[in-house]
Amino acid sequence: MSEKSKPQLILDKAIDLSVNLTGSGFPISIFPSKIQKIIREVNDCYGFPIDYVGAAMLVAVSVAVGNTHLARMKEGWDESAILYMALIGRPGANKSHPLSFAMRPFVEHDYEQNRIYEKQYLEYQDQLEMSRKERAEKGIDVCLREPIRRRFLVSDITPEGLSLIHSQNRRGLCLLSDELSAWVKNFNRYNNGSEEQFWLSVFSAKPTMSDRKSSRSSIFIKRPFISVIGTMQKRILSELAKGERSANGFIDRILFVILKHELSTRWSMKQPTFDVANEWQNILSRLMCIECAYDENNDICLSSSPLLKKPLKGFLSGSMVCQTNAIQNLTRPSLASIANCRYTPSDSA
């Protein structure tokens, strides 16, 4: 490690130590200073638990990245930023508010896109009623295409419906559920086990195919991207272990966020010193505005970035200290560029 990186490492440890004093175990030092400031501010003024808001923001970043970038482990081995996250806590543990805060930029985006879609669909319906001659006279394409609703978020949906929406939004999606238990309970609502297998495959970004009964065509998604996040109460965690989920790797795919100490949300008269929602919106919008590149076959051109070798080796070493430091070194450069923050890499590349 270079001399330049030592002060940063000391600062990171000091930041995490101060966070630990609040009862949180989430290493917010993995984030650039702008995002750290937002997390501290909403914790101090709104009482959002650092673990919940930090984890939710991490998933939000993954969704905003989507299929625009991959992490290259080795030649021929690329990993997506897909995350399955569950915020665990008792009722009233203040899980939903941090989740809503982190995902609000997507809600605003989808709301605006829905307004645009509704307007385009009305125009499409009017044009359908015209004859081919009328369309030609008005400069409208003779062969009309139904408008597509651009979006990031989905909620209660079947794999078939999700495949259709994903085919229209190939950049990526996020299943957002305030009560994640409903997602698990619905796995066998139509057939036994197939929906669970669908989510196992999606996590690994394996190709998915959906053959719809109502259509002769099928939907083929070469590299799906669907992150999942929601809240869940401790008492129904046992639902996740039912069937083969404890043996087939399903549970291992989920990151569980559980507070060390569940305290009642304290009321604070403090007001934020800056517009935290707007600042978070600006940071996330920089990623959301990145366009997916397409080749001549209209397939997504995925951009891969090689991981830093020494931090990756440290993460795989099994040491908790090494893993924490490695996560900081692996994530800070990318997240810093997202937040438009300065970052000086060490000699670990």
Side-chain angles (χ1 to χ4, degrees):
M1 183 177 294
S2 67
E3 292 299 321
K4 280 186 178 180
S5 63
K6 287 183 179 179
Q8 183 62 58
L9 182 59
I10 294 172
L11 180 60
D12 291 341
K13 290 181 178 179
I15 291 171
D16 289 337
L17 179 60
S18 66
V19 170
N20 288 337
L21 293 176
T22 68
S24 170
F26 191 92
I28 68 169
S29 62
I30 66 170
F31 290 118
S33 58
K34 284 187 178 182
I35 299 180
Q36 290 181 30
K37 188 177 180 182
I38 295 173
I39 294 174
R40 288 173 172 275
E41 196 77 0
V42 296
N43 172 254
D44 199 27
C45 299
Y46 300 142
F48 292 175
I50 288 176
D51 304 70
Y52 290 154
V53 70
M57 291 171 83
L58 193 61
V59 173
V61 169
S62 93
V63 176
V65 170
N67 265 331
T68 63
H69 289 78
L70 301 174
R72 173 147 293 173
M73 312 295 288
K74 293 181 179 180
E75 188 63 36
W77 178 6
D78 295 329
E79 291 291 342
S80 300
I82 296 172
L83 291 174
Y84 290 180
M85 187 86 72
L87 310 183
I88 310 297
R90 59 171 175 76
N94 204 356
K95 307 182 296 294
S96 297
H97 291 305
L99 177 58
S100 297
F101 172 82
M103 307 305 286
R104 188 177 301 161
F106 299 117
V107 174
E108 297 295 333
H109 170 276
D110 287 6
Y111 176 75
E112 180 60 27
Q113 288 299 314
N114 187 61
R115 289 179 63 251
I116 294 172
Y117 168 77
E118 288 179 343
K119 181 179 179 181
Q120 291 176 340
Y121 190 77
L122 288 176
E123 294 175 353
Y124 169 74
Q125 291 284 71
D126 291 338
Q127 293 167 1
L128 276 179
E129 296 177 358
M130 299 179 185
S131 65
R132 294 171 67 92
K133 182 179 179 181
E134 287 176 319
R135 292 178 206 157
E137 290 175 350
K138 294 186 177 182
I140 301 172
D141 288 339
V142 175
C143 298
L144 296 177
R145 289 188 178 184
E146 186 173 338
I148 293 173
R149 179 186 168 190
R150 300 299 178 187
R151 62 198 295 183
F152 281 99
L153 303 178
V154 295
S155 54
D156 183 24
I157 191 169
T158 64
E160 181 181 286
L162 187 55
S163 295
L164 175 60
I165 294 174
H166 198 351
S167 68
Q168 299 170 341
N169 297 269
R170 290 185 290 169
R171 176 199 181 99
L173 297 168
C174 176
L175 176 72
L176 175 63
S177 177
D178 193 47
E179 288 294 337
L180 206 56
S181 58
W183 172 55
V184 178
K185 289 178 180 178
N186 286 335
F187 278 177
N188 299 324
R189 55 184 162 178
Y190 298 117
N191 41 45
N192 190 24
S194 64
E195 190 162 345
E196 186 174 309
Q197 292 301 318
F198 170 82
W199 288 106
L200 285 168
S201 297
V202 165
F203 184 85
S204 302
K206 293 180 179 178
T208 63
M209 289 156 280
S210 175
D211 297 306
R212 293 176 291 169
K213 295 179 180 179
S214 59
S215 174
R216 295 177 61 184
S217 63
S218 62
I219 297 174
F220 185 95
I221 301 175
K222 188 175 181 180
R223 191 177 185 98
F225 186 104
I226 309 172
S227 284
V228 178
I229 188 169
T231 68
M232 184 177 289
Q233 297 178 26
K234 285 183 178 179
R235 61 183 178 82
I236 55 178
L237 271 175
S238 58
E239 289 284 334
L240 289 178
K242 288 185 176 180
E244 298 181 356
R245 294 173 199 146
S246 59
N248 63 9
F250 178 78
I251 291 180
D252 301 286
R253 285 162 166 78
I254 302 175
L255 293 173
F256 296 95
V257 182
I258 304 176
L259 302 183
K260 286 183 178 180
H261 307 287
E262 287 192 0
L263 304 174
S264 299
T265 303
R266 66 188 187 283
W267 174 256
S268 173
M269 297 298 292
K270 292 185 66 174
Q271 296 292 333
T273 58
F274 62 98
D275 191 338
V276 288
N278 186 64
E279 185 70 13
W280 176 234
Q281 173 79 48
N282 291 338
I283 291 172
L284 212 56
S285 292
R286 296 190 187 104
L287 268 183
M288 294 164 66
C289 289
I290 297 175
E291 297 289 341
C292 276
Y294 297 91
D295 61 19
E296 64 277 5
N297 297 319
N298 202 30
D299 288 331
I300 294 178
C301 295
L302 296 167
S303 175
S304 300
S305 300
L307 289 175
L308 303 180
K309 295 178 181 178
K310 287 186 179 179
L312 181 60
K313 183 178 179 181
F315 180 78
L316 297 175
S317 69
S319 165
M320 184 63 71
V321 174
C322 289
Q323 286 181 350
T324 301
N325 292 339
I327 291 173
Q328 293 168 355
N329 289 330
L330 286 168
T331 58
R332 189 187 298 277
S334 299
L335 293 176
S337 63
I338 293 166
N340 197 23
C341 302
R342 293 180 60 190
Y343 173 74
T344 303
S346 67
D347 59 352
S348 56

